[in-house]
Structure formats: structure tokens, C-alpha cells
Amino acid sequence: VVSEQSGAVQNIVEPILDVALDVIADEVMNGGTVVIKGFGKFYQQQSPKTTKRNPKTGEKIIVPSTYRLKFRSSKKLNIKEGE
């Protein structure tokens, strides 16, 4: 789609997008934040460790904290209700 709309050849656009996505992933995985003006922000958020219960045995299980990739869209990108 990008190559069609920009008029660029797909074999030129695809490697550029691949590198851009790799850079975003690497930065966020290393604890950084990536902001693309007018689009949004990619960042990492830690979920706390929790205690769950095994439904079969009733045994308590400690689920360790994990990191999740989060994305917050820019105000410009947000679609207002009714539009």
C-alpha cells in the first residue's frame, strides 16, 4: 500500500519499513520510548507480579511481573465519536 500511494518501488519501500520497525522494537525492548509525531508513542509498561489460583487444584501460583508493549495514539490520530 505504501509503495502504491507513494509511487515508490516495493523492493525499495519494504526494506526501509523493515528497518524502521526493527528500530522501534529494539528501542522499546531496551526500555526506551519511540514517538512518531502525528501518529503516536510506543513504550513499555511493566505489569506487577500477581497471585493467581489454579482452578483444578486451588493452589496459589505467583505470576511474575512482565513487560508489555503499549501504544498511545496522538490526538491528531484519534477519531472522535460520531465522525
Side-chain angles (χ1 to χ4, degrees), residues 15-61:
I16 294 170
L17 288 176
D18 287 343
V19 169
L21 294 174
D22 287 343
V23 168
I24 291 170
D26 289 343
E27 184 66 26
V28 173
M29 286 173 54
N30 290 320
T33 299
V34 176
V35 177
I36 301 174
K37 189 174 181 176
F39 184 70
K41 173 171 80 169
F42 295 90
Y43 61 99
Q44 187 181 93
Q45 187 174 43
Q46 184 177 14
S47 63
K49 78 175 182 179
T50 58
T51 304
K52 302 286 183 176
R53 189 173 300 273
N54 182 331
K56 288 186 178 179
T57 64
E59 176 186 6
K60 287 185 179 181
I61 300 171

Side-chain angles (χ1 to χ4, degrees), residues 2-3 8-22:
V2 173
S3 61
V9 181
Q10 183 175 355
N11 63 358
I12 294 173
V13 173
E14 190 172 349
I16 294 170
L17 288 176
D18 287 343
V19 169
L21 294 174
D22 287 343

